[in-house]
Amino acid sequence: DAGVIQSPRHEVTEMGQEVTLRCKPISGHDYLFWYRQTMMRGLELLIYFNNNVPIDDSGMPEDRFSAKMPNASFSTLKIQPSEPRDSAVYFCASSLGAALHSFGNQPQHFGDGTRLSIL
Amino acid sequence: AQSVTQPDIHITVSEGASLELRCNYSYGATPYLFWYVQSPGQGLQLLLKYFSGDTLVQGIKGFEAEFKRSQSSFNLRKPSVHWSDAAEYFCAVAADTGRRALTFGSGTRLQVQP
């Protein structure tokens, strides 16, 4: 089975440019998560969706960041305008929703990440 | 809010030696606990999980972890380390409040000496 697919794997762009990261979750999964990984802050949740609806975006750093999920098989994370401090590895993960008591049986599956460098 | 502490940033062990990676969590109720491994340039792969029942859980690649409520710990162990185990290991916790997101520890980088 195909796992979570992220594109691009690497992105290098100049400060001020718009950046769009893409994610295709595992087919049938109804939860999608965006995480950011940096040396300073480790792995932190940015936003997550359930059935294409954003549930919790409290981790989105500021208005320059936006995320959408137009359908069950595609999500984007956009940064506009980008800044050097946005340089990080961005991960997408998906999971199959489950009743609360069995959540532990439905772990999150991660993509290989997008390494973003803003010059 | 829940939190996770991994006190060891970097650990070096010899191939064939035993391994224990420490994880302490902070959460008022019974947590869901996970260990993930990240190889260089890769995403995170789930090693094992705990959410109830037997406090000693077995995972993939010969790893196991023990949940100790009294110590708020969920340490990862392996009896004999292989060179291919060199990677970064993350402990994570999820609350049973309905919020599906994971809170990760800062990670422990494992180096394996021949």
Side-chain angles (χ1 to χ4, degrees):
Chain A
D1 288 340
V4 175
I5 299 172
Q6 292 186 244
S7 65
R9 288 296 311 276
H10 303 273
E11 174 89 15
V12 181
T13 192
E14 292 187 347
M15 174 179 170
Q17 298 298 306
E18 177 179 290
V19 173
T20 299
L21 311 182
R22 297 172 175 81
C23 175
K24 177 179 170 58
I26 293 173
S27 178
H29 282 189
D30 54 352
Y31 281 85
L32 185 140
F33 306 81
W34 283 101
Y35 290 89
R36 179 172 66 175
Q37 185 179 34
T38 62
M39 291 292 293
M40 292 298 295
R41 300 174 67 88
L43 267 162
E44 51 183 350
L45 176 74
L46 299 178
I47 185 171
Y48 77 95
F49 297 82
N50 177 219
N51 291 324
N52 314 337
V53 176
I55 303 300
D56 185 344
D57 65 354
S58 59
M60 296 286 263
E62 48 197 277
D63 292 345
R64 298 184 297 105
F65 285 70
S66 62
K68 294 183 180 180
M69 192 165 185
N71 57 63
S73 59
F74 183 65
S75 176
T76 60
L77 178 68
K78 190 172 292 188
I79 308 172
Q80 167 62 22
S82 58
E83 296 183 4
R85 60 194 169 116
D86 302 329
S87 298
V89 181
Y90 290 81
F91 287 102
C92 177
S94 71
S95 69
L96 183 62
L100 199 57
H101 66 276
S102 62
F103 170 56
N105 270 330
Q106 304 295 346
Q108 295 177 24
H109 298 264
F110 283 75
D112 287 339
T114 294
R115 183 172 295 277
L116 177 63
S117 297
I118 309 296
L119 306 178
Chain B
Q2 64 269 27
S3 66
V4 178
T5 302
Q6 293 180 248
D8 303 306
I9 297 173
H10 187 206
I11 284 183
T12 300
V13 299
S14 298
E15 191 169 15
S18 63
L19 171 70
E20 182 168 29
L21 302 182
R22 295 184 290 166
C23 172
N24 293 97
Y25 68 90
S26 173
Y27 182 60
T30 300
Y32 298 104
L33 295 161
F34 306 82
W35 274 100
Y36 282 85
V37 60
Q38 183 182 28
S39 298
Q42 303 295 312
L44 280 73
Q45 181 184 20
L46 180 70
L47 286 175
L48 48 78
K49 59 187 185 289
Y50 170 81
F51 61 100
S52 69
D54 194 345
T55 57
L56 184 64
V57 294
Q58 302 296 322
I60 62 171
K61 304 185 179 186
F63 285 92
E64 66 178 27
E66 186 172 11
F67 171 62
K68 293 185 177 180
R69 184 188 301 276
S70 62
Q71 299 177 18
S72 298
S73 68
F74 188 56
N75 294 349
L76 182 71
R77 300 194 295 248
K78 187 169 185 179
S80 178
V81 170
H82 188 262
W83 64 266
S84 60
D85 294 325
E88 188 146 20
Y89 292 79
F90 292 92
C91 183
V93 63
D96 62 354
T97 58
R99 186 173 186 268
R100 292 290 191 268
L102 295 173
T103 299
F104 285 89
S106 54
T108 297
R109 181 165 298 278
L110 173 65
Q111 189 173 356
V112 180
Q113 289 182 335

